[in-house]
Amino acid sequence: MIGAQGFKGKSIQASLLAKSFGSIHALREVNLEVGAGEKVAIFGPNGSGKTTLIKVMATIMRPSSGRLHIAGMNPGENGHDVRRLIGVVSHNTYLYDDLAVEENLAFYGRMYGVENVKARITNGLRRVGLERRSRDRVRTLSRGMQQRLSIARATLHEPPILLLDEPDTGLDEAGQAQLWEMLTSGYADEPTVVMTTHNLKLGMSLCSRWTVLVDGEIVSEVAKENSSSESFQALYRRYAGAGT
Amino acid sequence: MRAFRRSIDVTPGLGRSFVAMGDGLTAAISISRAAVGPPSFFRQVGAILWKDLAVELRTKDILSSMLVFGLIVLVIFNFAFELRGENLILVAPGVLWVAFVFAGILGLGRSMAQEKERSSMEGLLLCPVDRGAIFVAKMLGNLIFIVILEAITLPIFAAFFNLPVLTPGVGLIVVLGTLGFASVGTLFAAIAINTRAREVMLPILLFPIIVPVIIASVKATAFVLDGKPWAEIWPWVNLLIAFDVIFLAVCFVTFEYVIGE
Amino acid sequence: MSAVSGKGGVPTRKGDNLVNILGFVSFLLIAASMYMGLVFAPEEAVQGPAQRIFYVHLPQAVGSYIAFFLVFLGSIFYLWKGDVKWDVLARSSAEVGVLLTSLVLITGSIWAKPIWNTWWTWEPRLTFTLVLWMIYVAYLMLRWASEGKQGARYAAVLGIVGFFDVPIIFLSVFLWSKGLHPRPAGMDPGMLAALIVSIFAFLLLFTYILIQRWRWETSKEMVEEMKLKLGR
Ligand SMILES: Nc1ncnc2c1ncn2[C@@H]1O[C@H](COP(=O)(O)OP(=O)(O)OP(=O)(O)O)[C@@H](O)[C@H]1O
Ligand SMILES: [Mg+2]
């Protein structure tokens, strides 16, 4: 069984999460609950704290205060177990320029202790359309290809929770259309997804819950079935305009 | 319970299955087919180290800059101190170690900057890996690079100044001195990279702390060159060993607090 | 959870009074120790009047060691417990410690000039103090060069590393050069009395400075916290 059905509770529970850098308050009192298998989109203007929120949930940034539970576990105590459940795609690709495509994946495979690495690498590369380039150095790939590889990297260990920070960065039209396919085609059960993007259309079509983050606070949360994309876009513009 | 889990955290690879009795994790394991069992501490150290060495083997970024810099230091000191005749044996060990330490600092800074540049340190932090394993791998990588630098510089130094430095005694001192220097250096490089004025921060933090390493290494090297009996050299070697042991442990434990934001 | 606890650090009227009394008492004692050191204690036979600087020099040295130990304690507890008050203790102590080592170096040079006929010599205890001074100046620079909790963690790590280094530096510097520091051989009772009074007086004064610094930093943390609560 793959997928998030295994947990009884929520995949992500964040309450009163705050993060400040010196005197800059990137996040203030964020409350967010994401159920197993749920897909949540986070929209917000530049500097509103989206990346910070994703990094805190991905356990690579410590929150200044507040509580965070991933699959019922506290990352501060069960860091390893939490991290094994998470895959992150962001505008940083986390790839090594001077290693070949397959070497990058092999490295992460070893770090996660993935079994059958060879087969999984081949699979992953096929999913993102890079099987022909497996011997090339990452340096020689275009930006969009690197983003594709980054998707293969993040899903190599088949994490039930995907945290995506502008995963569409650099992807061409076909790539954006296939984004979901590339991310989740290896899964038997739907993974939990939290994603940020500046592409409202894309985010709205992929996710079933739409939230707006402004100035480090979630100011609006809308379920897909309760709203039309037009009215949400209008709502978003109001917030985004006021936020900056 | 909390303390119990923590204690497991510091013994990587051991007993993690005990934690599996916790409710969240049982679920977690049943749902993740791909990642079966945690890779051991040493496998992860090996993976990171392999990655660093492979990258360096292709770019030669760190080694080449360290090497050129080390040679320049030797040449400059030759002019500054008139390294000939009488004062040679007095000054030469100091010159050698200043070259090692300066070039080493350059390498420490570069290797951490590489992790920072493309945020690859974040990629490492995402992995289910002990922060101590990251420290050990980075430290070993730095140690290997600096020792290679030293292995190339020593014969050149011997030729330049006609001094018999290619002996097992000097080799031992060099490795012991470099180990202490590399362990504190790795820790501080991780700090300095995230500060203002990062280039100057590393030497400012590192030099005062490694004063004992510098004193002991220079003295011991000088004694060996002077043909002093080992009875006189041992106190210095012991000091180096003490420094290495203490700071390997201290840096290993504190490293987790200096990475990530 | 909150950074600044409602207890301990909050400056209150009552606390003010106690601290003021402490300040006043330490002021009186310093005056007394000046009298004891400069007038009451007999003149040293060999060194003459220069020896009297010893009555401020030694207390400063003792005070700086205590301050650096407090940096260490504050750092350990900060990393362990994560409570800002420990960080405040560490950073206040580091400032006081650097101030004191600076004074130790200065009074030491003033003393060395007539006695050894030089402002500076690479004598082990002087060298040791200088290295110590460099470590904790680096500590203060690190605080300046980094921010927020990350900066506090960095500083704490340096506070711990630095402290573990102290005995090794001491050993290496002493092995490195044989010392010519004066040894307190057979002290006159009058001198001893003056010394004890001045150590006591200076320690009270340092405690007073430390507490004031600590209260100031704590208030600053509280203001930050309130700003955060108010949303800007
Ligand atoms: N490492 C850092 N140090 C200091 N401030 C930071 C840091 N990272 C983020 N910030 C600040 O935190 C705030 C939120 O930044 P964040 O990157 O989370 O925004 P974002 O919503 O992802 O923006 P974008 O849409 O541009 O990606 C900004 O004001 C930013 O300046
Ligand atoms: Mg962002």
Side-chain angles (χ1 to χ4, degrees), chain A residues 21 24 26 45-52 91 166 198, chain B residues 261:
Chain A
F21 302 97
I24 300 173
N46 292 138
S48 57
K50 301 182 297 297
T51 299
T52 308
H91 37 149
E166 301 184 31
H198 290 296
Chain B
E261 275 176 271

Short mmCIF file of all heavy atoms in Angstrom, two decimals, chain A residues 21 24 26 45-52 91 166 198, chain B residues 261, ligand 1:
data_model
loop_
_atom_site.label_atom_id
_atom_site.label_comp_id
_atom_site.label_asym_id
_atom_site.label_seq_id
_atom_site.Cartn_x
_atom_site.Cartn_y
_atom_site.Cartn_z
N PHE A 21 13.19 36.19 10.74
CA PHE A 21 14.62 36.34 10.49
C PHE A 21 15.02 37.67 11.09
O PHE A 21 14.78 38.70 10.49
CB PHE A 21 14.92 36.35 9.01
CG PHE A 21 14.45 35.13 8.28
CD1 PHE A 21 13.24 35.12 7.61
CD2 PHE A 21 15.22 33.97 8.28
CE1 PHE A 21 12.82 34.00 6.94
CE2 PHE A 21 14.80 32.84 7.61
CZ PHE A 21 13.59 32.85 6.94
N ILE A 24 12.64 40.60 10.57
CA ILE A 24 11.67 40.31 9.50
C ILE A 24 10.80 39.15 9.91
O ILE A 24 11.30 38.08 10.26
CB ILE A 24 12.39 39.96 8.19
CG1 ILE A 24 13.26 41.12 7.73
CG2 ILE A 24 11.37 39.60 7.11
CD1 ILE A 24 14.12 40.78 6.53
N ALA A 26 8.63 36.55 8.62
CA ALA A 26 8.23 35.93 7.37
C ALA A 26 6.92 35.17 7.53
O ALA A 26 6.10 35.13 6.61
CB ALA A 26 9.33 34.98 6.88
N PRO A 45 1.56 36.88 -2.96
CA PRO A 45 2.52 37.74 -3.68
C PRO A 45 3.95 37.45 -3.27
O PRO A 45 4.19 36.73 -2.29
CB PRO A 45 2.11 39.15 -3.27
CG PRO A 45 1.39 38.99 -1.98
CD PRO A 45 0.73 37.64 -2.04
N ASN A 46 4.90 38.01 -3.98
CA ASN A 46 6.32 37.83 -3.65
C ASN A 46 6.59 38.26 -2.22
O ASN A 46 6.08 39.27 -1.77
CB ASN A 46 7.21 38.65 -4.58
CG ASN A 46 7.18 38.13 -6.02
OD1 ASN A 46 7.13 38.90 -6.95
ND2 ASN A 46 7.21 36.82 -6.18
N GLY A 47 7.37 37.47 -1.55
CA GLY A 47 7.75 37.83 -0.18
C GLY A 47 6.68 37.60 0.85
O GLY A 47 6.80 38.05 1.99
N SER A 48 5.64 36.87 0.49
CA SER A 48 4.57 36.69 1.46
C SER A 48 4.86 35.54 2.43
O SER A 48 4.15 35.36 3.41
CB SER A 48 3.25 36.43 0.74
OG SER A 48 3.38 35.32 -0.11
N GLY A 49 5.89 34.75 2.15
CA GLY A 49 6.27 33.71 3.10
C GLY A 49 6.00 32.29 2.61
O GLY A 49 6.12 31.33 3.38
N LYS A 50 5.68 32.12 1.33
CA LYS A 50 5.36 30.79 0.82
C LYS A 50 6.56 29.84 0.94
O LYS A 50 6.44 28.73 1.45
CB LYS A 50 4.93 30.88 -0.65
CG LYS A 50 3.73 31.77 -0.89
CD LYS A 50 3.32 31.78 -2.36
CE LYS A 50 4.39 32.36 -3.28
NZ LYS A 50 4.70 33.78 -3.03
N THR A 51 7.71 30.32 0.44
CA THR A 51 8.90 29.47 0.50
C THR A 51 9.26 29.15 1.95
O THR A 51 9.62 28.01 2.27
CB THR A 51 10.08 30.18 -0.20
OG1 THR A 51 9.73 30.40 -1.56
CG2 THR A 51 11.33 29.35 -0.12
N THR A 52 9.15 30.15 2.80
CA THR A 52 9.46 29.93 4.21
C THR A 52 8.54 28.85 4.79
O THR A 52 9.01 27.95 5.50
CB THR A 52 9.29 31.24 4.98
OG1 THR A 52 10.04 32.26 4.33
CG2 THR A 52 9.77 31.09 6.40
N HIS A 91 12.14 25.80 -6.42
CA HIS A 91 12.88 26.49 -7.49
C HIS A 91 14.37 26.23 -7.37
O HIS A 91 15.09 26.40 -8.33
CB HIS A 91 12.51 27.96 -7.61
CG HIS A 91 12.26 28.64 -6.30
ND1 HIS A 91 12.51 29.94 -6.08
CD2 HIS A 91 11.78 28.18 -5.14
CE1 HIS A 91 12.19 30.26 -4.85
NE2 HIS A 91 11.74 29.22 -4.26
N GLU A 166 6.75 26.31 -6.14
CA GLU A 166 6.86 26.69 -7.54
C GLU A 166 7.45 25.55 -8.38
O GLU A 166 8.49 25.72 -9.03
CB GLU A 166 7.71 27.96 -7.69
CG GLU A 166 7.13 29.13 -6.93
CD GLU A 166 7.91 30.41 -7.14
OE1 GLU A 166 8.48 30.58 -8.23
OE2 GLU A 166 7.94 31.23 -6.23
N HIS A 198 2.83 30.73 -8.72
CA HIS A 198 2.31 32.01 -9.17
C HIS A 198 1.37 31.82 -10.34
O HIS A 198 0.78 32.76 -10.84
CB HIS A 198 3.45 32.95 -9.55
CG HIS A 198 4.23 33.40 -8.37
ND1 HIS A 198 3.68 34.15 -7.37
CD2 HIS A 198 5.51 33.18 -7.99
CE1 HIS A 198 4.58 34.40 -6.44
NE2 HIS A 198 5.71 33.80 -6.79
N GLU B 261 18.31 26.89 9.02
CA GLU B 261 17.96 28.19 9.61
C GLU B 261 16.90 28.05 10.66
O GLU B 261 16.22 27.06 10.74
CB GLU B 261 17.48 29.14 8.51
CG GLU B 261 18.65 29.82 7.84
CD GLU B 261 18.19 30.70 6.68
OE1 GLU B 261 18.11 30.17 5.58
OE2 GLU B 261 17.94 31.87 6.89
N1 LIG D 1 17.20 33.61 4.74
C1 LIG D 1 16.47 34.73 4.94
N2 LIG D 1 16.98 35.74 5.67
C2 LIG D 1 16.27 36.85 5.89
N3 LIG D 1 15.04 37.07 5.43
C3 LIG D 1 14.47 36.10 4.69
C4 LIG D 1 15.15 34.89 4.40
N4 LIG D 1 14.34 34.11 3.65
C5 LIG D 1 13.21 34.82 3.48
N5 LIG D 1 13.28 36.02 4.09
C6 LIG D 1 12.21 37.04 4.13
O1 LIG D 1 11.02 36.42 4.49
C7 LIG D 1 9.95 36.94 3.74
C8 LIG D 1 9.23 35.81 3.03
O2 LIG D 1 10.10 35.25 2.04
P1 LIG D 1 9.71 33.99 1.18
O3 LIG D 1 10.88 33.61 0.39
O4 LIG D 1 9.11 32.97 2.05
O5 LIG D 1 8.59 34.61 0.22
P2 LIG D 1 7.83 33.91 -0.99
O6 LIG D 1 6.39 34.02 -0.67
O7 LIG D 1 8.37 32.57 -1.23
O8 LIG D 1 8.18 34.89 -2.17
P3 LIG D 1 8.34 34.57 -3.76
O9 LIG D 1 6.98 34.60 -4.33
O10 LIG D 1 9.15 35.70 -4.25
O11 LIG D 1 9.01 33.26 -3.89
C9 LIG D 1 10.53 37.99 2.83
O12 LIG D 1 10.29 39.25 3.41
C10 LIG D 1 11.99 37.68 2.80
O13 LIG D 1 12.73 38.87 2.68
#
